[in-house]
Amino acid sequence: MTLLKDRNFLLLFVGQGISRFGDGMFTATTAWMAWSLTHDPAAVALVTVAAYAPAFAATFVAASYADRYDRRRLMILTDVLRAALVAVAVGLFAFGSVNLAVLVAATASLALVGAPFAPARNAIVPQIVPPALLQQANGLLQVAFRAAFFVGPLVLAPVLAVASLTAAVALNGLTFLLSAAAVAALRVRAPAHRDRPAGLRSDLAAGLRAVRSEPDVLLVIVTFVLALTLTSGFLTVGLVALVGQGGQYGLLLGIAGLAEVAGALLLSRVSIRRLALVAILAWALLGIFRLPLGLAASPVMAAALLALTGLASALTDIPLIALVQQRIPDGHLAKALGLWEAGIAGALAVSPFIAATTLSLVGVRAAFMLSGAALVTLALVACTVLARTTAERPDRPDDRMGAPEQGRHGFIASPEEPGASPR
């Protein structure tokens, strides 16, 4: 693909793939460590909450710094600090000073320090990729993120077989350093001239106003967070209850993950004309495939339905990121993406409890049907609101990639610019 021949994008693609590989392995490692220390499922849940709660609380605020200061330097600093925290954790593990409290504190600290990274990363993409290629860039990056995160847990078993949990944690620290090196090598175009950085409170307020001024962007973000709240817990709690076997559970999750990678790769090759509409309707499509999952009579049928939901899930976030990059001015772009990331963290923390409660009240089959029906209903309501919003703003240009509106980021890339991606 054209973008993968571009030095800047290739550095970001490879560096963030390595980083996400480390994230995936670290997620599996902390869950296994919590179980090894306590043999208590509640401890595993506590570590999971520790990984998401700080991101929910801090990501939007941290994203303000990505908008007001140099995003590239902020990403490097974040990676270096996370590597330093991992180094401290490795020392504690080596001296046998690890308990559940230390594990929870280390997981929460990494999540807190890493809060600015994802908004800064997504906001820096328009600084290295021409506007017309943003959707392709987001699709390729999601391929790297999903594939690497999926592979990370698979590598844990071989690492444990030849080394130890301490070595697995150390390997994650190395991925942060490699990510920092890749980001440091980027040549990033400067955005339009920025005024003197505002204070934190006024900048956050301005960011919220920027998102509210684009009702379709706000609608897509809210729909995504609500839908994820209704969905994600059923791929953990619900799927375990459905299959009842650890081997089948892992296989089905793997199939869903591979389908997401395939969907992201497909989206990097096609052009979407109506980003907001597609991002919303994708949840209805996912709900249609989710609805009969509880009735699956065999692992093959469950695998087929999960593969279809995986393909549909790629349609939910790639158009959303491209829409935000297109509509929100550069000075508030990281905050808008940070608001979305914070919503994801909150949804992932809450969704397992919603799924567990639903399963206990109505059973597995009805719970999946309710989850699917709720997604379809939510998407249809959001589509109705989007249609009204569009009718009230007839002057709004089409939200396809490459529209003139993308000039709001303060530059028009050309092949002659240093580090510019070829068109």
Side-chain angles (χ1 to χ4, degrees):
M1 288 188 179
T2 302
L3 276 175
L4 292 179
K5 297 178 182 178
D6 177 76
R7 173 187 178 277
N8 276 335
F9 184 79
L10 184 61
L11 282 169
L12 188 65
F13 179 86
V14 173
Q16 298 319 297
I18 293 172
S19 180
R20 286 295 285 169
F21 164 79
D23 290 343
M25 190 171 68
F26 185 76
T27 299
T29 300
T30 53
W32 180 251
M33 291 181 71
W35 177 257
S36 299
L37 289 168
T38 65
H39 295 284
D40 184 357
V44 180
L46 180 61
V47 171
T48 302
V49 172
Y52 292 122
F56 172 68
T59 299
F60 177 59
V61 174
S64 171
Y65 294 93
D67 279 334
R68 291 184 290 156
Y69 301 101
D70 190 302
R71 290 166 182 155
R72 175 176 161 274
R73 292 180 180 178
L74 182 62
M75 291 169 67
I76 296 170
L77 177 62
T78 300
D79 270 337
V80 171
L81 288 176
R82 288 191 288 184
L85 283 173
V86 171
V88 172
V90 168
L92 292 173
F93 296 154
F95 287 101
S97 302
V98 178
N99 54 38
L100 182 61
V102 171
L103 183 61
V104 169
T107 303
S109 297
L110 275 174
L112 188 62
V113 170
F117 190 87
R121 178 197 64 214
N122 288 328
I124 208 173
V125 174
Q127 292 178 241
I128 64 174
V129 172
L133 296 179
L134 281 177
Q135 182 195 318
Q136 182 184 122
N138 292 320
L140 288 173
L141 287 173
Q142 289 300 316
V143 169
F145 299 161
R146 285 175 159 94
F149 192 81
F150 171 71
V151 170
L154 297 179
V155 174
L156 178 60
V159 171
L160 293 180
V162 300
S164 63
L165 281 170
T166 303
V169 175
L171 183 57
N172 182 55
L174 178 62
T175 64
F176 287 135
L177 293 178
L178 292 174
S179 172
V183 175
L186 289 175
R187 292 197 293 265
V188 180
R189 291 189 300 262
H193 174 72
R194 294 178 182 173
D195 297 328
R196 183 178 178 182
L200 176 62
R201 182 178 299 179
S202 59
D203 186 59
L204 292 175
L208 289 174
R209 287 195 298 271
V211 175
R212 288 200 301 266
S213 70
E214 296 289 347
D216 48 351
V217 172
L218 181 60
L219 176 64
V220 171
I221 291 175
V222 170
T223 302
F224 187 102
V225 173
L226 290 177
L228 193 64
T229 303
L230 297 171
T231 303
S232 63
F234 287 89
L235 278 184
T236 52
V237 181
L239 194 56
V240 168
L242 178 65
V243 301
Q245 297 182 28
Q248 287 186 11
Y249 171 70
L251 178 62
L252 290 175
L253 280 183
I255 289 171
L258 288 174
E260 289 187 17
V261 173
L265 183 60
L266 178 63
L267 281 184
S268 69
R269 296 175 175 270
V270 300
S271 178
I272 298 176
R273 294 179 61 88
R274 299 292 302 277
L275 297 171
L277 181 63
V278 170
I280 291 173
L281 285 178
W283 287 111
L285 186 64
L286 196 151
I288 291 171
F289 298 139
R290 170 64 56 82
L291 195 147
L293 187 57
L295 303 176
S298 68
V300 174
M301 183 180 296
L305 290 170
L306 282 171
L308 291 171
T309 59
L311 287 169
S313 69
L315 283 168
T316 64
D317 53 358
I318 294 174
L320 182 151
I321 297 171
L323 178 69
V324 175
Q325 291 170 339
Q326 172 184 317
R327 291 289 182 83
I328 302 298
D330 180 81
H332 302 299
L333 182 55
K335 290 187 290 295
L337 292 165
L339 190 66
W340 173 60
E341 295 278 357
I344 291 174
L348 292 176
V350 170
S351 186
F353 297 101
I354 294 176
T357 302
T358 306
L359 287 163
S360 65
L361 290 176
V362 302
V364 176
R365 293 185 176 183
F368 274 104
M369 294 180 70
L370 286 174
S371 175
L375 284 179
V376 173
T377 302
L378 174 65
L380 293 179
V381 171
C383 282
T384 302
V385 176
L386 179 64
R388 292 179 179 176
T389 301
T390 304
E392 292 171 359
R393 305 182 71 185
D395 59 328
R396 167 57 65 195
D398 192 1
D399 57 358
R400 57 190 150 189
M401 301 313 301
E405 182 70 14
Q406 294 178 56
R408 295 179 69 176
H409 290 293
F411 60 83
I412 299 296
S414 66
E416 289 73 27
E417 293 181 47
S421 301
R423 289 183 182 273

